[in-house]
Amino acid sequence: VNNCVGFSNYKFFLLFLAYSLLYCLFIAATDLQYFIKFWTNGLPDTQAKFHIMFLFFAAAMFSVSLSSLFGYHCWLVSKNKSTLEVFRAPIFRHRTDKNGFSLGFSKNLRQVFGDEKKYWLLPVFSSLGDGCSFPTCLVNQDPEQASTPGALNSTSKNETHLFPAKPLRDSQSHLLTDTPSWTETSEKAEKGK
């Protein structure tokens, strides 16, 4: 996989892992009764006996490896990290911060899967943002990162920056507010407008 999974397809990669894991678990569970009959000599003596054994072992081994990879990436999503940030903490203007992009569990999930829960399990793009600037949890705002509404700025007014902060898009700035945006009442109110 190396460098192929990024902002545009991370949701699809997670769904691929989840659905592959479910499929392998389903195959192992449905093949289990025949696998037990294989070891108790309850199956007729044909070449299909070895197919059943191979199918069960393949499904079980893939289930183990997929569950560990899927669990690792679920942990990454909950912390709003990629594998790059795990191996090397992102460098901001004032310091490095390994949790600089973490906004809290629910906001981290929405960063990857989007605001509308009905699209979370479907392979359609619903991630928030543009893939170039990301909201951070830093109090001392980095001018190279996108600006956040209501963020505290520790720099003086006389200081100029080479890289002015870019404003967040609407799809990103609402992640920094405390109100959940997927409540049914707010959706109905917006549809009424």
Side-chain angles (χ1 to χ4, degrees), residues 5-64:
V5 177
F7 172 78
S8 299
N9 59 0
Y10 194 49
K11 176 187 174 184
F12 302 109
F13 177 67
L14 285 170
L15 291 178
F16 168 73
L17 291 177
Y19 293 142
S20 300
L21 176 61
L22 288 175
Y23 182 65
C24 287
L25 290 173
F26 174 75
I27 295 297
T30 56
D31 194 34
L32 182 62
Q33 63 181 335
Y34 301 108
F35 183 73
I36 293 171
K37 287 181 183 178
F38 172 81
W39 289 106
T40 59
N41 293 326
L43 287 178
D45 194 22
T46 63
Q47 288 183 344
K49 290 173 74 170
F50 297 104
H51 293 238
I52 290 171
M53 187 173 78
F54 175 76
L55 181 63
F56 180 78
F57 277 124
M61 287 187 299
F62 275 110
S63 295
V64 169

Short mmCIF file of all heavy atoms in Angstrom, two decimals, residues 5-64:
data_model
loop_
_atom_site.label_atom_id
_atom_site.label_comp_id
_atom_site.label_asym_id
_atom_site.label_seq_id
_atom_site.Cartn_x
_atom_site.Cartn_y
_atom_site.Cartn_z
N VAL A 5 -2.67 5.28 0.08
CA VAL A 5 -3.83 5.67 0.87
C VAL A 5 -3.59 7.06 1.42
O VAL A 5 -2.61 7.31 2.10
CB VAL A 5 -4.07 4.68 2.03
CG1 VAL A 5 -5.23 5.11 2.89
CG2 VAL A 5 -4.31 3.29 1.46
N GLY A 6 -4.50 7.97 1.10
CA GLY A 6 -4.37 9.35 1.55
C GLY A 6 -5.72 9.95 1.84
O GLY A 6 -6.71 9.24 2.06
N PHE A 7 -5.80 11.27 1.82
CA PHE A 7 -7.03 11.97 2.17
C PHE A 7 -8.21 11.53 1.31
O PHE A 7 -9.29 11.29 1.82
CB PHE A 7 -6.82 13.48 2.03
CG PHE A 7 -8.08 14.27 2.18
CD1 PHE A 7 -8.61 14.51 3.43
CD2 PHE A 7 -8.75 14.75 1.07
CE1 PHE A 7 -9.78 15.22 3.59
CE2 PHE A 7 -9.92 15.47 1.21
CZ PHE A 7 -10.43 15.70 2.47
N SER A 8 -8.01 11.41 0.02
CA SER A 8 -9.12 11.14 -0.90
C SER A 8 -9.69 9.73 -0.80
O SER A 8 -10.83 9.51 -1.18
CB SER A 8 -8.68 11.39 -2.34
OG SER A 8 -8.28 12.72 -2.49
N ASN A 9 -8.91 8.79 -0.31
CA ASN A 9 -9.40 7.41 -0.31
C ASN A 9 -9.25 6.69 1.03
O ASN A 9 -9.39 5.48 1.09
CB ASN A 9 -8.71 6.61 -1.42
CG ASN A 9 -7.21 6.57 -1.27
OD1 ASN A 9 -6.65 7.14 -0.35
ND2 ASN A 9 -6.56 5.89 -2.19
N TYR A 10 -9.02 7.42 2.11
CA TYR A 10 -8.85 6.75 3.41
C TYR A 10 -10.15 6.11 3.87
O TYR A 10 -10.15 5.00 4.41
CB TYR A 10 -8.35 7.75 4.44
CG TYR A 10 -7.82 7.10 5.70
CD1 TYR A 10 -6.93 6.04 5.64
CD2 TYR A 10 -8.23 7.53 6.95
CE1 TYR A 10 -6.44 5.44 6.77
CE2 TYR A 10 -7.75 6.93 8.10
CZ TYR A 10 -6.86 5.89 8.01
OH TYR A 10 -6.39 5.29 9.14
N LYS A 11 -11.28 6.77 3.65
CA LYS A 11 -12.56 6.18 4.01
C LYS A 11 -12.79 4.89 3.23
O LYS A 11 -13.23 3.88 3.78
CB LYS A 11 -13.69 7.17 3.74
CG LYS A 11 -15.06 6.58 3.98
CD LYS A 11 -16.16 7.50 3.54
CE LYS A 11 -17.50 6.79 3.67
NZ LYS A 11 -18.61 7.60 3.18
N PHE A 12 -12.46 4.90 1.94
CA PHE A 12 -12.65 3.71 1.11
C PHE A 12 -11.74 2.58 1.57
O PHE A 12 -12.14 1.41 1.56
CB PHE A 12 -12.38 4.04 -0.36
CG PHE A 12 -13.27 5.12 -0.89
CD1 PHE A 12 -12.76 6.37 -1.19
CD2 PHE A 12 -14.62 4.90 -1.08
CE1 PHE A 12 -13.58 7.37 -1.66
CE2 PHE A 12 -15.45 5.89 -1.56
CZ PHE A 12 -14.92 7.14 -1.85
N PHE A 13 -10.53 2.90 2.00
CA PHE A 13 -9.60 1.89 2.50
C PHE A 13 -10.15 1.26 3.77
O PHE A 13 -10.12 0.03 3.93
CB PHE A 13 -8.23 2.52 2.74
CG PHE A 13 -7.22 1.58 3.33
CD1 PHE A 13 -6.75 0.50 2.60
CD2 PHE A 13 -6.74 1.77 4.60
CE1 PHE A 13 -5.82 -0.38 3.13
CE2 PHE A 13 -5.80 0.91 5.15
CZ PHE A 13 -5.35 -0.17 4.41
N LEU A 14 -10.68 2.08 4.68
CA LEU A 14 -11.26 1.54 5.92
C LEU A 14 -12.48 0.66 5.62
O LEU A 14 -12.65 -0.39 6.24
CB LEU A 14 -11.66 2.68 6.85
CG LEU A 14 -10.52 3.37 7.57
CD1 LEU A 14 -11.01 4.62 8.27
CD2 LEU A 14 -9.87 2.43 8.55
N LEU A 15 -13.31 1.10 4.69
CA LEU A 15 -14.47 0.28 4.32
C LEU A 15 -14.04 -1.03 3.67
O LEU A 15 -14.63 -2.08 3.92
CB LEU A 15 -15.40 1.06 3.40
CG LEU A 15 -16.15 2.23 4.02
CD1 LEU A 15 -16.98 2.95 2.97
CD2 LEU A 15 -17.01 1.77 5.17
N PHE A 16 -13.00 -0.98 2.85
CA PHE A 16 -12.46 -2.20 2.24
C PHE A 16 -12.00 -3.17 3.32
O PHE A 16 -12.31 -4.37 3.26
CB PHE A 16 -11.32 -1.84 1.30
CG PHE A 16 -10.52 -3.03 0.85
CD1 PHE A 16 -11.04 -3.92 -0.07
CD2 PHE A 16 -9.25 -3.25 1.35
CE1 PHE A 16 -10.32 -5.02 -0.48
CE2 PHE A 16 -8.51 -4.34 0.94
CZ PHE A 16 -9.04 -5.23 0.02
N LEU A 17 -11.27 -2.67 4.31
CA LEU A 17 -10.82 -3.54 5.40
C LEU A 17 -11.99 -4.11 6.18
O LEU A 17 -12.01 -5.30 6.50
CB LEU A 17 -9.90 -2.76 6.35
CG LEU A 17 -8.54 -2.37 5.81
CD1 LEU A 17 -7.78 -1.55 6.86
CD2 LEU A 17 -7.73 -3.58 5.41
N ALA A 18 -12.98 -3.28 6.48
CA ALA A 18 -14.13 -3.74 7.27
C ALA A 18 -14.93 -4.79 6.52
O ALA A 18 -15.27 -5.84 7.08
CB ALA A 18 -15.02 -2.55 7.63
N TYR A 19 -15.23 -4.54 5.25
CA TYR A 19 -16.04 -5.49 4.49
C TYR A 19 -15.27 -6.76 4.18
O TYR A 19 -15.84 -7.85 4.16
CB TYR A 19 -16.57 -4.84 3.21
CG TYR A 19 -17.57 -3.74 3.48
CD1 TYR A 19 -17.60 -2.59 2.72
CD2 TYR A 19 -18.49 -3.85 4.52
CE1 TYR A 19 -18.52 -1.58 2.98
CE2 TYR A 19 -19.40 -2.86 4.79
CZ TYR A 19 -19.42 -1.73 4.02
OH TYR A 19 -20.32 -0.74 4.27
N SER A 20 -13.96 -6.66 3.95
CA SER A 20 -13.15 -7.86 3.74
C SER A 20 -13.11 -8.71 5.01
O SER A 20 -13.20 -9.94 4.95
CB SER A 20 -11.73 -7.48 3.33
OG SER A 20 -11.74 -6.74 2.15
N LEU A 21 -12.97 -8.05 6.16
CA LEU A 21 -12.96 -8.78 7.42
C LEU A 21 -14.30 -9.47 7.67
O LEU A 21 -14.33 -10.65 8.05
CB LEU A 21 -12.63 -7.82 8.57
CG LEU A 21 -12.67 -8.41 9.97
CD1 LEU A 21 -11.66 -9.53 10.12
CD2 LEU A 21 -12.42 -7.31 11.00
N LEU A 22 -15.39 -8.77 7.43
CA LEU A 22 -16.71 -9.39 7.61
C LEU A 22 -16.91 -10.58 6.67
O LEU A 22 -17.46 -11.61 7.05
CB LEU A 22 -17.81 -8.35 7.37
CG LEU A 22 -17.98 -7.30 8.46
CD1 LEU A 22 -19.02 -6.26 8.05
CD2 LEU A 22 -18.37 -7.95 9.78
N TYR A 23 -16.44 -10.44 5.44
CA TYR A 23 -16.57 -11.52 4.48
C TYR A 23 -15.75 -12.75 4.91
O TYR A 23 -16.25 -13.88 4.85
CB TYR A 23 -16.13 -11.04 3.09
CG TYR A 23 -16.28 -12.07 2.01
CD1 TYR A 23 -17.53 -12.55 1.65
CD2 TYR A 23 -15.17 -12.59 1.36
CE1 TYR A 23 -17.68 -13.50 0.66
CE2 TYR A 23 -15.31 -13.54 0.37
CZ TYR A 23 -16.56 -13.99 0.02
OH TYR A 23 -16.69 -14.93 -0.95
N CYS A 24 -14.53 -12.53 5.35
CA CYS A 24 -13.70 -13.66 5.80
C CYS A 24 -14.28 -14.32 7.04
O CYS A 24 -14.25 -15.55 7.16
CB CYS A 24 -12.28 -13.18 6.07
SG CYS A 24 -11.35 -12.82 4.57
N LEU A 25 -14.82 -13.52 7.96
CA LEU A 25 -15.45 -14.11 9.14
C LEU A 25 -16.70 -14.91 8.77
O LEU A 25 -16.96 -15.98 9.33
CB LEU A 25 -15.82 -13.01 10.14
CG LEU A 25 -14.65 -12.34 10.85
CD1 LEU A 25 -15.14 -11.15 11.68
CD2 LEU A 25 -13.90 -13.34 11.72
N PHE A 26 -17.46 -14.40 7.79
CA PHE A 26 -18.65 -15.12 7.32
C PHE A 26 -18.25 -16.46 6.69
O PHE A 26 -18.87 -17.50 6.96
CB PHE A 26 -19.41 -14.25 6.31
CG PHE A 26 -20.56 -14.95 5.67
CD1 PHE A 26 -21.74 -15.16 6.37
CD2 PHE A 26 -20.47 -15.40 4.36
CE1 PHE A 26 -22.81 -15.81 5.77
CE2 PHE A 26 -21.53 -16.05 3.76
CZ PHE A 26 -22.70 -16.26 4.46
N ILE A 27 -17.22 -16.45 5.86
CA ILE A 27 -16.75 -17.69 5.21
C ILE A 27 -16.26 -18.69 6.26
O ILE A 27 -16.60 -19.88 6.22
CB ILE A 27 -15.64 -17.39 4.19
CG1 ILE A 27 -16.17 -16.55 3.04
CG2 ILE A 27 -15.00 -18.66 3.67
CD1 ILE A 27 -17.24 -17.21 2.22
N ALA A 28 -15.48 -18.21 7.22
CA ALA A 28 -14.96 -19.11 8.26
C ALA A 28 -16.11 -19.67 9.11
O ALA A 28 -16.09 -20.86 9.46
CB ALA A 28 -13.96 -18.37 9.15
N ALA A 29 -17.09 -18.85 9.42
CA ALA A 29 -18.21 -19.31 10.24
C ALA A 29 -19.08 -20.33 9.51
O ALA A 29 -19.52 -21.32 10.09
CB ALA A 29 -19.06 -18.12 10.69
N THR A 30 -19.34 -20.11 8.22
CA THR A 30 -20.17 -21.06 7.47
C THR A 30 -19.42 -22.34 7.12
O THR A 30 -20.04 -23.38 6.94
CB THR A 30 -20.71 -20.41 6.18
OG1 THR A 30 -19.63 -19.92 5.40
CG2 THR A 30 -21.67 -19.28 6.50
N ASP A 31 -18.10 -22.26 7.05
CA ASP A 31 -17.30 -23.44 6.72
C ASP A 31 -16.92 -24.24 7.97
O ASP A 31 -16.45 -25.37 7.85
CB ASP A 31 -16.04 -23.00 5.97
CG ASP A 31 -15.33 -24.15 5.31
OD1 ASP A 31 -16.01 -25.10 4.85
OD2 ASP A 31 -14.08 -24.11 5.25
N LEU A 32 -17.14 -23.68 9.13
CA LEU A 32 -16.71 -24.32 10.38
C LEU A 32 -17.35 -25.70 10.59
O LEU A 32 -16.66 -26.65 10.98
CB LEU A 32 -17.02 -23.41 11.57
CG LEU A 32 -16.58 -23.93 12.93
CD1 LEU A 32 -15.07 -24.10 12.97
CD2 LEU A 32 -17.04 -22.97 14.02
N GLN A 33 -18.64 -25.83 10.30
CA GLN A 33 -19.30 -27.13 10.52
C GLN A 33 -18.71 -28.22 9.63
O GLN A 33 -18.54 -29.36 10.05
CB GLN A 33 -20.80 -27.00 10.30
CG GLN A 33 -21.19 -26.62 8.89
CD GLN A 33 -22.70 -26.49 8.74
OE1 GLN A 33 -23.44 -27.11 9.49
NE2 GLN A 33 -23.12 -25.71 7.76
N TYR A 34 -18.36 -27.87 8.40
CA TYR A 34 -17.75 -28.86 7.49
C TYR A 34 -16.31 -29.13 7.89
O TYR A 34 -15.80 -30.24 7.71
CB TYR A 34 -17.83 -28.37 6.05
CG TYR A 34 -19.25 -28.13 5.60
CD1 TYR A 34 -19.73 -26.84 5.41
CD2 TYR A 34 -20.13 -29.20 5.39
CE1 TYR A 34 -21.04 -26.62 5.02
CE2 TYR A 34 -21.43 -28.99 5.01
CZ TYR A 34 -21.87 -27.69 4.82
OH TYR A 34 -23.17 -27.48 4.44
N PHE A 35 -15.63 -28.12 8.43
CA PHE A 35 -14.27 -28.31 8.91
C PHE A 35 -14.26 -29.29 10.09
O PHE A 35 -13.37 -30.15 10.18
CB PHE A 35 -13.68 -26.95 9.32
CG PHE A 35 -12.26 -27.02 9.75
CD1 PHE A 35 -11.24 -27.21 8.84
CD2 PHE A 35 -11.93 -26.89 11.10
CE1 PHE A 35 -9.92 -27.27 9.24
CE2 PHE A 35 -10.62 -26.94 11.51
CZ PHE A 35 -9.60 -27.13 10.59
N ILE A 36 -15.25 -29.18 10.97
CA ILE A 36 -15.34 -30.11 12.10
C ILE A 36 -15.66 -31.52 11.60
O ILE A 36 -15.08 -32.50 12.07
CB ILE A 36 -16.41 -29.61 13.11
CG1 ILE A 36 -15.93 -28.32 13.77
CG2 ILE A 36 -16.72 -30.67 14.15
CD1 ILE A 36 -16.97 -27.62 14.61
N LYS A 37 -16.54 -31.62 10.61
CA LYS A 37 -16.85 -32.94 10.04
C LYS A 37 -15.63 -33.55 9.36
O LYS A 37 -15.46 -34.76 9.32
CB LYS A 37 -18.00 -32.83 9.03
CG LYS A 37 -19.34 -32.61 9.68
CD LYS A 37 -20.43 -32.53 8.62
CE LYS A 37 -21.78 -32.25 9.24
NZ LYS A 37 -22.84 -32.13 8.22
N PHE A 38 -14.76 -32.71 8.79
CA PHE A 38 -13.53 -33.20 8.16
C PHE A 38 -12.67 -33.92 9.18
O PHE A 38 -12.14 -34.99 8.90
CB PHE A 38 -12.77 -32.02 7.54
CG PHE A 38 -11.41 -32.39 7.03
CD1 PHE A 38 -11.25 -32.99 5.79
CD2 PHE A 38 -10.27 -32.14 7.79
CE1 PHE A 38 -10.00 -33.32 5.32
CE2 PHE A 38 -9.02 -32.48 7.32
CZ PHE A 38 -8.88 -33.07 6.08
N TRP A 39 -12.52 -33.35 10.37
CA TRP A 39 -11.65 -33.95 11.38
C TRP A 39 -12.31 -35.12 12.10
O TRP A 39 -11.63 -35.95 12.69
CB TRP A 39 -11.22 -32.89 12.40
CG TRP A 39 -10.24 -31.93 11.79
CD1 TRP A 39 -10.49 -30.66 11.42
CD2 TRP A 39 -8.89 -32.19 11.43
NE1 TRP A 39 -9.38 -30.10 10.86
CE2 TRP A 39 -8.37 -31.02 10.85
CE3 TRP A 39 -8.05 -33.30 11.53
CZ2 TRP A 39 -7.07 -30.93 10.39
CZ3 TRP A 39 -6.75 -33.19 11.07
CH2 TRP A 39 -6.27 -32.02 10.51
N THR A 40 -13.63 -35.21 12.05
CA THR A 40 -14.32 -36.34 12.68
C THR A 40 -14.71 -37.40 11.66
O THR A 40 -15.49 -38.30 11.97
CB THR A 40 -15.58 -35.85 13.41
OG1 THR A 40 -16.45 -35.21 12.48
CG2 THR A 40 -15.21 -34.90 14.55
N ASN A 41 -14.18 -37.29 10.45
CA ASN A 41 -14.45 -38.22 9.35
C ASN A 41 -15.93 -38.31 9.03
O ASN A 41 -16.45 -39.39 8.72
CB ASN A 41 -13.88 -39.62 9.64
CG ASN A 41 -12.37 -39.59 9.69
OD1 ASN A 41 -11.74 -38.83 8.95
ND2 ASN A 41 -11.79 -40.41 10.55
N GLY A 42 -16.65 -37.20 9.11
CA GLY A 42 -18.07 -37.17 8.80
C GLY A 42 -18.35 -36.77 7.37
O GLY A 42 -19.50 -36.76 6.94
N LEU A 43 -17.31 -36.45 6.59
CA LEU A 43 -17.50 -36.07 5.18
C LEU A 43 -17.21 -37.27 4.29
O LEU A 43 -16.37 -38.11 4.61
CB LEU A 43 -16.54 -34.93 4.81
CG LEU A 43 -16.88 -33.54 5.35
CD1 LEU A 43 -15.80 -32.56 4.93
CD2 LEU A 43 -18.22 -33.06 4.86
N PRO A 44 -17.89 -37.32 3.15
CA PRO A 44 -17.57 -38.41 2.20
C PRO A 44 -16.13 -38.24 1.70
O PRO A 44 -15.59 -37.14 1.66
CB PRO A 44 -18.58 -38.23 1.07
CG PRO A 44 -19.24 -36.92 1.29
CD PRO A 44 -18.97 -36.49 2.68
N ASP A 45 -15.53 -39.34 1.32
CA ASP A 45 -14.12 -39.35 0.90
C ASP A 45 -14.00 -38.88 -0.54
O ASP A 45 -14.01 -39.68 -1.47
CB ASP A 45 -13.55 -40.76 1.08
CG ASP A 45 -12.03 -40.75 1.00
OD1 ASP A 45 -11.45 -39.67 1.23
OD2 ASP A 45 -11.46 -41.81 0.71
N THR A 46 -13.89 -37.55 -0.72
CA THR A 46 -13.69 -36.95 -2.05
C THR A 46 -12.60 -35.90 -1.95
O THR A 46 -12.07 -35.61 -0.87
CB THR A 46 -14.99 -36.26 -2.55
OG1 THR A 46 -15.31 -35.20 -1.66
CG2 THR A 46 -16.14 -37.25 -2.62
N GLN A 47 -12.27 -35.31 -3.11
CA GLN A 47 -11.26 -34.25 -3.10
C GLN A 47 -11.79 -32.96 -2.48
O GLN A 47 -11.02 -32.08 -2.12
CB GLN A 47 -10.79 -33.96 -4.52
CG GLN A 47 -9.92 -35.06 -5.10
CD GLN A 47 -9.42 -34.69 -6.48
OE1 GLN A 47 -9.94 -33.78 -7.12
NE2 GLN A 47 -8.42 -35.41 -6.94
N ALA A 48 -13.09 -32.85 -2.33
CA ALA A 48 -13.69 -31.65 -1.75
C ALA A 48 -13.28 -31.48 -0.28
O ALA A 48 -13.34 -30.37 0.24
CB ALA A 48 -15.20 -31.72 -1.85
N LYS A 49 -12.85 -32.57 0.36
CA LYS A 49 -12.43 -32.47 1.75
C LYS A 49 -11.26 -31.48 1.89
O LYS A 49 -11.23 -30.69 2.82
CB LYS A 49 -12.00 -33.85 2.26
CG LYS A 49 -13.15 -34.82 2.43
CD LYS A 49 -12.66 -36.20 2.76
CE LYS A 49 -12.19 -36.26 4.19
NZ LYS A 49 -11.92 -37.63 4.63
N PHE A 50 -10.33 -31.51 0.96
CA PHE A 50 -9.17 -30.62 1.04
C PHE A 50 -9.53 -29.18 0.68
O PHE A 50 -8.94 -28.25 1.19
CB PHE A 50 -8.05 -31.16 0.17
CG PHE A 50 -7.56 -32.50 0.63
CD1 PHE A 50 -7.92 -33.66 -0.04
CD2 PHE A 50 -6.78 -32.61 1.78
CE1 PHE A 50 -7.50 -34.89 0.41
CE2 PHE A 50 -6.34 -33.84 2.22
CZ PHE A 50 -6.70 -34.99 1.55
N HIS A 51 -10.52 -29.02 -0.16
CA HIS A 51 -10.99 -27.67 -0.50
C HIS A 51 -11.61 -27.01 0.72
O HIS A 51 -11.41 -25.82 0.96
CB HIS A 51 -12.00 -27.73 -1.64
CG HIS A 51 -11.42 -28.17 -2.94
ND1 HIS A 51 -11.49 -27.41 -4.07
CD2 HIS A 51 -10.75 -29.29 -3.29
CE1 HIS A 51 -10.89 -28.04 -5.07
NE2 HIS A 51 -10.44 -29.19 -4.61
N ILE A 52 -12.36 -27.80 1.48
CA ILE A 52 -12.99 -27.28 2.69
C ILE A 52 -11.92 -26.88 3.71
O ILE A 52 -12.00 -25.81 4.33
CB ILE A 52 -13.97 -28.31 3.27
CG1 ILE A 52 -15.19 -28.42 2.36
CG2 ILE A 52 -14.38 -27.96 4.69
CD1 ILE A 52 -16.12 -29.54 2.69
N MET A 53 -10.91 -27.74 3.88
CA MET A 53 -9.85 -27.43 4.82
C MET A 53 -9.08 -26.18 4.39
O MET A 53 -8.80 -25.29 5.20
CB MET A 53 -8.89 -28.62 4.94
CG MET A 53 -7.86 -28.44 6.02
SD MET A 53 -6.86 -29.89 6.29
CE MET A 53 -5.73 -29.78 4.93
N PHE A 54 -8.75 -26.07 3.11
CA PHE A 54 -8.03 -24.91 2.61
C PHE A 54 -8.85 -23.63 2.77
O PHE A 54 -8.34 -22.59 3.18
CB PHE A 54 -7.64 -25.11 1.14
CG PHE A 54 -7.00 -23.91 0.54
CD1 PHE A 54 -5.67 -23.59 0.83
CD2 PHE A 54 -7.71 -23.07 -0.29
CE1 PHE A 54 -5.08 -22.47 0.28
CE2 PHE A 54 -7.13 -21.95 -0.85
CZ PHE A 54 -5.81 -21.64 -0.56
N LEU A 55 -10.14 -23.71 2.44
CA LEU A 55 -11.01 -22.54 2.54
C LEU A 55 -11.09 -22.05 3.98
O LEU A 55 -11.00 -20.84 4.24
CB LEU A 55 -12.41 -22.88 2.02
CG LEU A 55 -13.42 -21.75 2.04
CD1 LEU A 55 -12.99 -20.61 1.14
CD2 LEU A 55 -14.79 -22.27 1.61
N PHE A 56 -11.23 -22.97 4.93
CA PHE A 56 -11.32 -22.56 6.32
C PHE A 56 -10.02 -21.92 6.80
O PHE A 56 -10.04 -20.86 7.44
CB PHE A 56 -11.67 -23.75 7.23
CG PHE A 56 -11.78 -23.36 8.67
CD1 PHE A 56 -12.92 -22.72 9.13
CD2 PHE A 56 -10.74 -23.61 9.55
CE1 PHE A 56 -13.02 -22.34 10.47
CE2 PHE A 56 -10.84 -23.24 10.87
CZ PHE A 56 -11.97 -22.60 11.33
N PHE A 57 -8.89 -22.54 6.50
CA PHE A 57 -7.61 -21.97 6.94
C PHE A 57 -7.34 -20.62 6.29
O PHE A 57 -6.85 -19.69 6.94
CB PHE A 57 -6.45 -22.94 6.66
CG PHE A 57 -6.28 -23.99 7.71
CD1 PHE A 57 -6.31 -25.32 7.38
CD2 PHE A 57 -6.10 -23.64 9.04
CE1 PHE A 57 -6.15 -26.30 8.35
CE2 PHE A 57 -5.95 -24.60 10.02
CZ PHE A 57 -5.97 -25.93 9.67
N ALA A 58 -7.63 -20.48 5.00
CA ALA A 58 -7.41 -19.20 4.32
C ALA A 58 -8.30 -18.11 4.92
O ALA A 58 -7.82 -16.99 5.20
CB ALA A 58 -7.68 -19.35 2.83
N ALA A 59 -9.57 -18.42 5.13
CA ALA A 59 -10.48 -17.42 5.69
C ALA A 59 -10.08 -17.06 7.12
O ALA A 59 -10.13 -15.88 7.50
CB ALA A 59 -11.92 -17.94 5.66
N ALA A 60 -9.67 -18.04 7.90
CA ALA A 60 -9.27 -17.77 9.29
C ALA A 60 -7.99 -16.94 9.34
O ALA A 60 -7.89 -15.99 10.12
CB ALA A 60 -9.08 -19.08 10.04
N MET A 61 -7.00 -17.26 8.49
CA MET A 61 -5.75 -16.49 8.50
C MET A 61 -5.97 -15.06 8.02
O MET A 61 -5.42 -14.11 8.60
CB MET A 61 -4.70 -17.19 7.65
CG MET A 61 -4.15 -18.45 8.29
SD MET A 61 -2.78 -19.18 7.40
CE MET A 61 -3.51 -19.58 5.83
N PHE A 62 -6.76 -14.88 6.98
CA PHE A 62 -7.05 -13.53 6.52
C PHE A 62 -7.85 -12.76 7.56
O PHE A 62 -7.68 -11.54 7.71
CB PHE A 62 -7.80 -13.55 5.18
CG PHE A 62 -6.89 -13.65 3.99
CD1 PHE A 62 -6.84 -14.80 3.24
CD2 PHE A 62 -6.09 -12.58 3.63
CE1 PHE A 62 -6.02 -14.90 2.15
CE2 PHE A 62 -5.26 -12.66 2.53
CZ PHE A 62 -5.21 -13.82 1.79
N SER A 63 -8.73 -13.44 8.29
CA SER A 63 -9.49 -12.78 9.35
C SER A 63 -8.58 -12.23 10.43
O SER A 63 -8.77 -11.11 10.91
CB SER A 63 -10.50 -13.73 9.98
OG SER A 63 -11.47 -14.12 9.06
N VAL A 64 -7.59 -13.01 10.82
CA VAL A 64 -6.66 -12.57 11.85
C VAL A 64 -5.85 -11.36 11.37
O VAL A 64 -5.74 -10.34 12.07
CB VAL A 64 -5.73 -13.71 12.28
CG1 VAL A 64 -4.59 -13.22 13.16
CG2 VAL A 64 -6.52 -14.80 12.99
#
